[in-house]
Amino acid sequence: MGIWLAYVLVLICIFIVSIEYLYLYALSSRTEARISEYNGTCVRIGEMIDTIVNAPTESSLRQALVFLKRYVGVDRTRMDILSGLLLKRLITENEEGNQNGLRALSAACDMVNPSAFYSSLLKTGDLYDKAYACRKISGFSRRQEISVIREFSHSKNRDLSYNAAMALSELGDESGLIDAIRDCQHNYEYSHRIIIELIQKYTGDMETLAKKVLCGISDDYIKTAVIKAVAKYRFQSLADIFTGLLTGTNVNLRAAALTALGALGDPAFQNDMITACTDPDWIIRLTAVKALKNIRTPESMQALSDAAQDAEWWVRNTAAKILVGMDTDLVYVERVLRNEDRRAADSILFALYQVCDMSR
Amino acid sequence: MLKNFIVGFNYFCMIYTLILSSVYLCQLLISNICISRDMRRKTAGDYDRYVGSDNLFPVSILIPAYNEQDNLAANVRSLLKLDYPEYELIVINDGSADGTHQSMLQTFGLYEISYPMKNTLPTSHIRGVYYNIKYPNLLYIDKRNGGKSDALNAGINFSKYPLFVSLDADSQLESDAILKLAAEFLKDTKTVVSGGFVRVSNGSAIEDGKWKSFHMPSSNVERFQIIEYFRTFLSGRISWNAVNSLLIISGAFGVFNKQVVVECGGYRTDSIGEDMEIILRIHKYLRRKKRKYKIVFSEDAVCWTQAPSTFGDLRKQRRRWQIGLMNSLLIHHDMLLNPKMGFVGLLAVPYSWLFELLGALIEALGYILIPLSFIIGIIKPFVFILFLIIAALLGIMLSLGGLILEQSTRKGVLTARQCMQLSLYALLENFGYRQFVALCRAEGMLRYGTLKNTWAKVRRKKFNY
C-alpha cells in the first residue's frame, strides 16, 4: 500500500515538474517578447513624436498625427508610453520656448486624446487602474473628472485614495483637497511627509488653502504637517496663527510653528525664537536654533553662540553649523572657540571642516 | 537497538521531507499570489514622484567594511552617484588588516577631522574620523576591530538621519532601491524595517546602479546559488512578509528606523547573525510594548551581491549563516511558541527552529543514515531509490518554483534561453549541491563554539562596473 502511495507521489511530482517546466518556458518567452516589444514601442513612439515636433509643413504634421493615432489606437501599453513621453516632451519644449513644437504636441494630445482614454479607465478599470488613471488625468490637467476623483479620494483602498488626493491637489481642487486632508485625520498610516507632499503639489491659491485647513481642522498631527508644508511659502498673513500655537502643549505643533515663523525671516519674531532656545524640550530648542538661521541680528547670533554650548548634541552641532554659516566676521565663532567648553569648540571645529577645505 | 533507531529515523526522515516540502510548496503558492497582487499594485505605485522631492526621508547609508580593499572604494564611488534626494554615506572600517584604510584615504583624498562624538551606543575605540569637503555626504570612520555589529553601532552613532541603511561593502544597489524601501516608511508609519531582494551579481554587469546584462557565471557553484537566492527571497521572504512575521532582513541590504534600533539597544556585539538577531529583538521589543509595527520585504528593491565562487568559500559562508541562525534563535529562545509574540512566536520562530536550524542536522544525518541502511540491507533497494527520487523531485519542484517567481516579477534580467539553462541547474542542484550545503550547515552547528565571533571573510571578485 505504502509503495503504491509512493509511486503515486512520484507520478504527481513528475506531473507538477513537467507543468512547471512548460509554464516556465512559456512565461520566460512571453516576458522576453514583452520586454523587447515594450522597448521597440518606446523607440517607435519617440520617433513619431520627433517627427511631429519637427514636421516642416501642416500636411506632414497632419499625416504624422494620423499615423500616431492609428499606431496607438486604444492599446493600453502604447497609450501609457505615449502619455509619458508626451508629458515629458511638453515640459522640455516649454522650457526651450519652442512654440511650434508646443503647438504640434498639443495637436497630438487632441488627436490621440490620452486624457479621454484615462477618463474611461476611471470608470472601467479596477482599483489600481483607477489610481493610475487619476495620476495621468492630473498630468493632463483634465478638470472635468474632478467630481469622480473626489469620490475616489474617500476610497478605503489606500492606493486609490492617495492617488486621487494627489490628483485633486495637482488639479487645484481646493474643497476636494481639504476633504482629502480631513480624511487623513482618521488615517494616521500615512507619514506626515505624504501630507506635506500633498499640499505642496497644490496648484491653486496656497495661502487660502492653508488658512482654511488651519482654521477648519483641529487635529494636531494634520495641523503640524500643514504648517510644515506651507512654511516655505512665507505667508505673512499666517504669522498670527503660528504665534498663537507657540504656547500650546503639543511639542511637534510648537516646533512646526517655530519653523514657519523662522522661515518668515522677520526680526519681529526673534524674541519668540530666542526664548524657545532655552526651552526644557530639546526638540523645541533645536527647532528654534534652525529658525534663527534666517534672522541675522546681534541678538540672534548671541543666542546661537549660547546654543552651541547646549547639553544636547543635536542642538549644539546645529547651532554651531548655523553660526559658522552666518558669522562671516567670525566674532562669535572665535568667542565660542576661546570658551572653556570643549564640546562647543569641537562642534564649531566640525562645522568649519564642513565649509572650509582643510586638505590644503 | 541500533537497527530500530535507523529504521525509525528513516521513517522520520520520510515524513519530515514530506512535511517540509509541503510547507515550502505552501510558501511558494502564497508568494505567487503576493507577487501577482504586487504587480497589480505597482500600477498605482507613485514612489518616483519623490525623487526630486524634499519630502522623502533622508537616509544614512552605513557600510561596515573589513578587508574590502578590492571593492570598497569603487562601490563607494558608485553610491555617491545614487539617485536619492538627501543621504549621507558612512563607511566604517572595522580594523581591516589589508589596504582598505589606505585605499579609502587615497581614493577620496580624505583627511582626519575632529568630530564631536555622540555616544548613543557603546562601541570599540574610534581611531579616527575622516572627511573631504569635495564629498560632503561621505564620512569615513576608522575603528578598532569589534565585528560587524560593532561597526554598525558606530555608524549609527555617527549618523544624522532618522532612517539608516545597512549595506554590505561588497553589495551594489540598483539606483532606485533605497527610494523604493524608503517609500515603505512614507506609505505606512508603522513600518520600522524594510528589506530588499538580494540577487546574485555573479555574471551580471551593473553600471551606476543599473543592471546592464547577464551572462551565465563560469562556475557551477555560482549558478546553483542564483537558483537558491530566487527560492529563498522570492518564496520564503515574501510568504513571511504576508503575515508580518519576517525573522530576517538580509544584512546585505535593509532600511531601519534608527530610533527603534536605538531603543532596542542597537546591534548585539556578541551575536554573529546580527541581521536576524536585530529583527528578532525588534519583534520582541515592539510586541512587549504593544506597539503596532510592520517589518516589510519588497522584491522590487534590488541589491546585487557577490556570491562565493568556490565551494571552499561557500562552506565558510553557510557555516557562518547557520551559526548566526543558531545564535539568534538561542538568544531569543523565549519567543518560541510564546503566544504573546503572536504569529512570530507561534509560527515563524518554530518554523525556523524545526526546518531551518534542526533541519540542517536532520538532513545531514539523513544523508549518512539512509544510504547506510541501504548498504546494510535495512531498506530495500527500490524503496531507497524511490525515496531519493521523491526527495529530488520535491527539490526540483521548489527550485523551479523560485525561477517561476523570478520570471513573474517581470524584471527581464534573464532571457528565455538563460532561464531554461538555469532550470537545468534547478534539477542538478539536488544531486550534490544541496547535500553539500546541508553538510556545511550541520558543520556550522557542530562547531558553533569555535566559529562564532569571526567575520569569516569570503574572497570576492572585483565588481563588473
Side-chain angles (χ1 to χ4, degrees):
Chain A
M1 178 66 181
I3 293 296
W4 281 108
L5 269 177
Y7 283 139
V8 171
L9 190 60
V10 169
L11 286 176
I12 293 172
C13 286
I14 291 175
F15 177 72
I16 296 176
V17 168
S18 314
I19 296 286
E20 277 188 323
Y21 256 108
L22 288 173
Y23 182 62
L24 181 65
Y25 179 71
L27 185 65
S28 56
S29 307
R30 206 173 58 203
T31 306
E32 194 180 340
R34 190 162 35 205
I35 289 171
S36 135
E37 190 190 331
Y38 183 87
N39 292 338
T41 310
C42 284
V43 173
R44 192 134 187 227
I45 293 182
E47 284 169 358
M48 286 182 188
I49 292 177
D50 278 342
T51 313
I52 288 167
V53 171
N54 302 316
T57 61
E58 277 299 318
S59 66
S60 60
L61 173 65
R62 211 171 306 120
Q63 201 179 352
L65 289 173
V66 169
F67 195 66
L68 179 71
K69 186 182 165 73
R70 202 178 302 148
Y71 180 71
V72 174
V74 286
D75 184 288
R76 167 80 185 269
T77 311
R78 289 179 184 181
M79 193 61 89
D80 286 346
I81 295 170
L82 174 73
S83 60
L85 291 177
L86 265 181
L87 286 174
K88 240 185 236 170
R89 196 64 187 259
L90 274 166
I91 294 168
T92 323
E93 298 298 329
N94 191 32
E95 280 169 1
E96 286 172 7
N98 180 358
Q99 292 308 318
N100 283 341
L102 281 172
R103 196 178 54 82
L105 290 172
S106 304
C109 284
D110 293 341
M111 181 69 127
V112 187
N113 209 354
S115 52
F117 176 85
Y118 291 113
S119 293
S120 70
L121 199 61
L122 269 187
K123 286 151 196 120
T124 56
D126 67 11
L127 288 175
Y128 299 122
D129 286 336
K130 284 175 180 168
Y132 179 70
C134 285
R135 236 177 30 236
K136 287 287 184 185
I137 282 170
S138 69
F140 285 106
S141 307
R142 193 175 165 96
R143 294 184 58 88
Q144 299 96 296
E145 304 298 342
I146 280 179
S147 58
V148 183
I149 297 176
R150 272 186 195 174
E151 275 175 39
F152 292 161
S153 72
H154 306 301
S155 165
K156 280 183 184 160
N157 180 296
R158 295 179 59 222
D159 289 301
L160 180 56
S161 60
Y162 163 81
N163 278 289
M166 209 54 97
L168 290 175
S169 177
E170 287 180 342
L171 290 170
D173 178 37
E174 190 185 274
S175 62
L177 181 59
I178 291 174
D179 279 350
I181 293 171
R182 198 170 282 140
D183 269 5
C184 293
Q185 289 184 95
H186 316 296
N187 179 6
Y188 285 145
E189 286 181 354
Y190 287 137
S191 158
H192 70 278
R193 287 170 181 265
I194 280 194
I195 302 170
I196 296 176
E197 182 78 10
L198 202 58
I199 293 169
Q200 288 180 345
K201 290 289 167 191
Y202 181 62
T203 50
D205 180 3
M206 186 71 82
E207 198 167 354
T208 316
L209 175 85
K211 271 183 198 160
K212 283 188 179 168
V213 175
L214 287 174
C215 298
I217 287 177
S218 55
D219 186 285
D220 283 352
Y221 181 76
I222 307 291
K223 255 188 186 169
T224 306
V226 174
I227 294 172
K228 282 182 181 172
V230 298
K232 72 174 183 183
Y233 301 103
R234 307 170 71 181
F235 296 130
Q236 202 74 40
S237 61
L238 299 176
D240 287 345
I241 299 178
F242 299 149
T243 44
L245 294 170
L246 290 179
T247 51
T249 50
N250 186 313
V251 173
N252 292 329
L253 192 54
R254 281 174 65 203
L258 268 173
T259 305
L261 278 178
L264 293 177
D266 186 346
F269 303 112
Q270 77 169 3
N271 284 343
D272 291 320
M273 287 159 219
I274 291 172
T275 311
C277 281
T278 55
D279 195 273
D281 194 307
W282 72 268
I283 292 177
I284 298 293
R285 297 204 299 278
L286 176 68
T287 319
V289 161
K290 285 182 184 169
L292 281 173
K293 189 179 175 181
N294 300 321
I295 301 169
R296 197 170 162 178
T297 62
E299 292 83 3
S300 71
M301 302 284 257
Q302 186 55 51
L304 281 171
S305 60
D306 291 344
Q309 296 160 55
D310 195 285
E312 172 58 43
W313 190 95
W314 285 106
V315 180
R316 205 165 56 236
N317 282 281
T318 310
K321 195 174 175 184
I322 293 170
L323 190 63
V324 165
M326 284 167 75
D327 186 14
T328 42
D329 302 330
L330 297 176
V331 177
Y332 293 91
V333 168
E334 271 184 31
R335 215 176 280 168
V336 179
L337 282 173
R338 279 203 209 100
N339 200 303
E340 281 179 11
D341 187 341
R342 286 319 309 157
R343 291 187 312 184
D346 278 353
S347 300
I348 291 284
L349 271 178
F350 182 60
L352 285 168
Y353 280 123
Q354 289 176 297
V355 289
C356 314
D357 189 353
M358 302 295 210
S359 60
R360 279 173 280 150
Chain B
M1 177 69 181
L2 181 68
K3 191 181 165 184
N4 284 345
F5 170 74
I6 295 177
V7 171
F9 185 78
N10 286 349
Y11 277 118
F12 172 73
C13 263
M14 285 179 198
I15 295 166
Y16 182 85
T17 308
L18 285 177
I19 295 174
L20 179 65
S21 302
S22 311
V23 171
Y24 282 158
L25 278 174
C26 285
Q27 288 189 335
L28 207 62
L29 288 175
I30 295 171
S31 303
N32 205 357
I33 295 167
C34 291
I35 288 181
S36 312
R37 186 202 56 196
D38 289 349
M39 293 307 291
R40 296 291 308 132
R41 187 175 274 173
K42 236 196 255 178
T43 323
D46 190 30
Y47 74 89
D48 48 353
R49 166 194 295 280
Y50 294 90
V51 176
S53 163
D54 299 334
N55 295 321
L56 197 62
F57 283 102
V59 296
S60 304
I61 304 171
L62 312 184
I63 309 175
Y66 178 71
N67 291 352
E68 294 283 358
Q69 65 176 8
D70 288 344
N71 276 317
L72 185 62
N75 201 9
V76 168
R77 201 176 279 285
S78 143
L79 284 166
L80 285 169
K81 294 178 197 162
L82 210 62
D83 198 6
Y84 196 85
E86 196 179 354
Y87 70 100
E88 61 174 350
L89 211 55
I90 303 177
V91 181
I92 312 109
N93 176 27
D94 191 45
S96 295
D98 67 351
T100 303
H101 180 63
Q102 281 313 315
S103 145
M104 278 300 291
L105 296 195
Q106 278 167 14
T107 311
F108 298 101
L110 301 168
Y111 45 88
E112 193 168 0
I113 59 166
S114 83
Y115 188 94
M117 274 286 292
K118 187 167 68 242
N119 292 313
T120 316
L121 299 167
T123 66
S124 56
H125 176 66
I126 304 292
R127 294 194 288 225
V129 181
Y130 298 82
Y131 182 78
N132 184 345
I133 197 167
K134 284 181 200 148
Y135 305 98
N137 53 350
L138 172 66
L139 197 65
Y140 170 70
I141 296 149
D142 185 35
K143 67 180 275 292
R144 195 184 290 156
N145 183 268
K148 190 178 174 184
S149 305
D150 193 59
L152 284 167
N153 284 342
I156 292 173
N157 282 347
F158 281 92
S159 64
K160 60 180 178 192
Y161 294 133
L163 299 182
F164 75 87
V165 181
S166 139
L167 185 69
D168 274 359
D170 52 29
S171 299
Q172 269 212 304
L173 290 179
E174 285 206 348
S175 54
D176 57 358
I178 296 182
L179 188 67
K180 285 172 177 168
L181 289 191
E184 299 289 342
F185 292 82
L186 279 182
K187 279 190 256 173
D188 199 331
T189 46
K190 292 197 293 294
T191 306
V192 290
V193 186
S194 61
F197 178 15
V198 179
R199 292 182 74 123
V200 173
S201 66
N202 306 44
S204 290
I206 300 138
E207 210 176 288
D208 290 337
K210 294 239 177 340
W211 172 85
K212 294 286 168 189
S213 62
F214 173 76
H215 296 287
M216 204 58 84
S218 53
S219 71
N220 286 339
V221 66
E222 293 166 290
R223 297 175 185 192
F224 288 135
Q225 286 174 89
I226 293 177
I227 297 280
E228 204 184 6
Y229 272 63
F230 289 161
R231 198 175 55 226
T232 311
F233 278 90
L234 294 175
S235 174
R237 301 279 161 93
I238 291 178
S239 55
W240 286 117
N241 182 44
V243 285
N244 193 24
S245 299
L246 274 169
L247 295 192
I248 185 166
I249 288 292
S250 172
F253 178 41
V255 182
F256 295 78
N257 177 322
K258 187 168 77 179
Q259 199 188 332
V260 170
V261 174
V262 170
E263 278 177 42
C264 290
Y267 286 89
R268 263 180 85 130
T269 47
D270 59 349
S271 148
I272 189 170
E274 77 295 327
D275 46 3
M276 182 174 190
E277 198 282 325
I278 190 73
I279 299 297
L280 283 170
R281 199 138 39 90
I282 289 173
H283 275 301
K284 204 197 269 186
Y285 176 79
L286 294 175
R287 282 187 184 266
R288 281 192 179 151
K289 292 267 173 196
K290 294 190 166 55
R291 265 158 64 178
K292 286 186 177 173
Y293 70 98
K294 262 186 182 177
I295 293 176
V296 298
F297 172 79
S298 167
E299 77 276 6
D300 212 22
V302 177
C303 165
W304 295 87
T305 194
Q306 284 201 40
S309 51
T310 65
F311 277 103
D313 283 339
L314 180 70
R315 179 175 158 221
K316 273 191 217 167
Q317 187 195 52
R318 295 312 159 94
R319 259 183 350 203
R320 186 176 177 273
W321 284 4
Q322 193 69 11
I323 292 168
L325 170 74
M326 189 166 167
N327 184 245
S328 305
L329 290 176
L330 285 175
I331 291 171
H332 299 285
H333 60 88
D334 53 337
M335 290 175 80
L336 181 66
L337 297 173
N338 185 344
K340 285 182 186 160
M341 296 292 133
F343 252 137
V344 178
L346 296 174
L347 214 66
V349 174
Y351 165 88
S352 285
W353 272 97
L354 194 61
F355 298 124
E356 303 278 337
L357 186 68
L358 299 175
L361 271 186
I362 296 167
E363 210 178 328
L365 212 56
Y367 291 136
I368 298 164
L369 287 184
I370 293 174
L372 186 74
S373 51
F374 164 65
I375 292 165
I376 60 175
I378 295 175
I379 55 170
K380 291 173 190 163
F382 78 92
V383 174
F384 172 66
I385 292 168
L386 207 59
F387 178 71
L388 282 188
I389 292 173
I390 292 174
L393 281 171
L394 288 170
I396 294 167
M397 227 150 77
L398 297 171
S399 298
L400 283 177
L403 208 48
I404 288 174
L405 290 179
E406 195 280 334
Q407 285 296 301
S408 306
T409 61
R410 297 182 208 165
K411 285 270 177 197
V413 170
L414 302 171
T415 61
R417 187 188 157 86
Q418 286 165 341
C419 198
M420 294 322 286
Q421 271 178 334
L422 275 178
S423 72
L424 190 68
Y425 286 85
L427 202 141
L428 291 176
E429 71 161 346
N430 294 285
F431 304 100
Y433 177 79
R434 262 183 68 177
Q435 290 73 10
F436 175 78
V437 169
L439 290 172
C440 296
R441 289 166 61 201
E443 185 199 357
M445 288 178 72
L446 297 173
R447 295 180 62 192
Y448 176 73
T450 51
L451 291 175
K452 63 176 181 167
N453 299 330
T454 55
W455 268 81
K457 285 299 296 176
V458 167
R459 275 167 294 149
R460 313 283 192 193
K461 290 174 187 173
K462 282 202 170 189
F463 259 113
N464 193 2
Y465 287 101

